Amino acid sequence: MSSIATVLVTGGTGQTGRVVTDLLHRRGVDVVVASRHYPQERPAPGVRQVRFDWADAATYDEALRDVDSIYLLPPPLDADPADVVGSFLRRARDAGVGRAVLLNSSAFPLRAAGLHAVRLTVGQMPEWSVLLASGFMQNFLGSHPTAVAVRERHEIVAAADDGRMGWIDAADVAAVAAELLTRVDHDSREHVLTGPQALAYNDVAATIAAEWDLPVRYRPVTPAERTVQLVDAGVPQTFADALVGADVLTASGAEDRVTREVAQLAGRNATSFAEFLRRHPLRPAMTTTPEK
Ligand SMILES: NC(=O)c1ccc[n+]([C@@H]2O[C@H](COP(=O)([O-])OP(=O)(O)OC[C@H]3O[C@@H](n4cnc5c(N)ncnc54)[C@H](OP(=O)(O)O)[C@@H]3O)[C@@H](O)[C@H]2O)c1
C-alpha cells in the first residue's frame, strides 16, 4: 500500500488500543476508535469513536468506513474466535481495507486450536502482521487477578514451574503495532514480541519485592489446580484451559526467549520489568496506565 490515512483500532479503549490510538494520532493518522463503550468527552480532531461489538455484525460497516488498516484485537475471553474474526475480515477486504495487524499471545498452546486458527484469518488480507506477544507486565497492575493476588495476598500463583517468559510492556506492543499499521514497506509475517529479559516467576517476585518493597512469593500449583482456580474466578472453562496451557508451555521452556523486534520496529529498547515497576509505583488504588 502506498500510504495509510485512516486506521481502525478495535479494542481502542483497552491497554494496547489506547496507546496505539495516541501514537497514530501524534503521527497525523486519522483513527477510528472501536469498542462497545467509550468515554463521553469529545475526541481529538482526527479521532472518530464508533460503537463496535464483535457479537453484533450490524456494527461492523460503520467501523470499517473509509479505513485503510486495522489493529485487530479478537473478542476477549473467546477461545474460538476464528469464525467471527474471519467473517469481519472478509467484510473489511470487500470494503477495500488493505492491511490488518492482529494481536495474539505467543504462549497459547497448539491444542488451543481456536486461538491458533485466528492467526490464519488475517492471511486473506492483502497485507497482514501477527503480533505474538509474551505476557504483559500490566498483568501486575490494576484489577488483573494476578495483580490483586500480589497486592492482597503477596503471592503469584501459576502452573509454570520455574519456566521463564519474556514479559513485555503493553506500551511496547502498541508501539510496534503503530509502526506496522502505517509503514509503507510492509512485510507480511509473524513477529514474536518480548521484553529484554526472560524471567521465571521467582525472578518476577524478587523484582516486585525489590522495586515495590512488597514481600511477594511464587506459589507453583499443578495445571489441574490452576484450572479450577481460574474457573472459580469466573474465567470460561475453554479460556481457562488455554491460559493454563500457556503456563504448561512456559514450564516446558518454550517461552524462554528474548527477541529484538521492539527495538527494530519501534526504534527504542524494550522496557525492563524493573523499569516498568518504577514507572508504575505501588499505590493503594492502582490503575493501569500503559502510556509512557
Ligand atoms: N495479558 C497478557 O499477558 C497478554 C499477553 C499476550 C497477548 N494478550 C492479548 O491481548 C489482548 C488484550 O489486549 P488489551 O490488553 O489491549 O485489551 P484490554 O485492555 O483487555 O481491553 C479490551 C478492549 O476490547 C474491547 N472489547 C471487549 N469486549 C468487546 C466486544 N465484545 N466487542 C468489541 N470490543 C470489545 C474493550 O472495550 P469495551 O469493553 O468497551 O467493548 C476494550 O477496548 C487479548 O487478545 C490477549 O490475548 C494478552
Side-chain angles (χ1 to χ4, degrees):
M1 290 181 77
S2 51
S3 76
I4 302 283
T6 306
V7 175
L8 168 64
V9 180
T10 62
T13 56
Q15 291 186 127
T16 56
R18 281 198 312 267
V19 184
V20 170
T21 296
D22 187 50
L23 292 172
L24 293 174
H25 178 61
R26 285 196 233 162
R27 288 179 187 202
V29 176
D30 286 349
V31 186
V32 182
V33 177
S35 59
R36 293 167 306 172
H37 325 87
Y38 42 80
Q40 289 307 306
E41 70 258 27
R42 251 157 73 120
V47 177
R48 177 163 67 92
Q49 293 173 332
V50 292
R51 198 186 81 79
F52 173 80
D53 188 344
W54 281 109
D56 181 3
T59 63
Y60 293 2
D61 287 341
E62 175 57 16
L64 288 167
R65 183 164 55 84
D66 298 329
V67 162
D68 303 307
S69 183
I70 303 174
Y71 179 60
L72 199 61
L73 212 78
L77 297 184
D78 184 345
D80 198 3
D83 283 351
V84 67
V85 173
S87 68
F88 173 74
L89 286 177
R90 265 193 301 285
R91 215 184 272 200
R93 191 191 53 202
D94 292 348
V97 180
R99 185 181 301 177
V101 175
L102 171 78
L103 175 59
N104 209 312
S105 165
S106 65
F108 285 139
L110 276 170
R111 71 186 170 83
L115 292 169
H116 266 269
V118 75
R119 295 181 191 170
L120 303 178
T121 62
V122 291
Q124 66 183 296
M125 300 300 286
E127 295 177 340
W128 57 269
S129 305
V130 174
L131 308 182
L132 299 176
S134 187
F136 289 175
M137 295 173 184
Q138 275 76 4
N139 295 356
F140 297 93
L141 302 181
S143 59
H144 192 285
T146 304
V148 173
V150 163
R151 287 200 307 273
E152 294 181 359
R153 296 189 293 284
H154 296 181
E155 67 175 13
I156 301 169
V157 183
D161 288 338
D162 56 0
R164 294 172 186 275
M165 185 192 295
W167 294 93
I168 188 166
D169 183 347
D172 289 335
V173 174
V176 169
E179 174 64 19
L180 290 172
L181 284 160
T182 51
R183 61 163 37 191
V184 174
D185 272 340
H186 186 84
D187 179 17
S188 294
R189 65 178 179 89
E190 295 188 343
H191 301 266
V192 176
L193 305 183
T194 73
Q197 300 153 304
L199 301 174
Y201 276 111
N202 275 324
D203 305 322
V204 167
T207 311
I208 292 174
E211 297 298 335
W212 282 356
D213 195 21
L214 205 62
V216 176
R217 70 183 186 103
Y218 170 43
R219 182 159 66 87
V221 292
T222 65
E225 285 171 307
R226 188 62 186 144
T227 307
V228 169
Q229 288 172 353
L230 289 169
V231 170
D232 284 352
V235 177
Q237 178 75 50
T238 48
F239 203 75
D241 289 342
L243 291 175
V244 174
D247 272 6
V248 172
L249 206 66
T250 302
S252 77
E255 287 298 298
D256 186 356
R257 60 185 164 182
V258 165
T259 69
R260 298 267 309 145
E261 299 258 11
V262 171
Q264 286 158 357
L265 288 161
R268 68 183 193 214
N269 289 329
T271 305
S272 72
F273 190 52
E275 175 61 23
F276 176 83
L277 295 176
R278 283 196 287 275
R279 282 186 195 155
H280 300 275
L282 185 63
R283 295 189 300 272
M286 289 182 74
T287 51
T288 304
T289 49
E291 182 68 66
K292 284 188 172 176

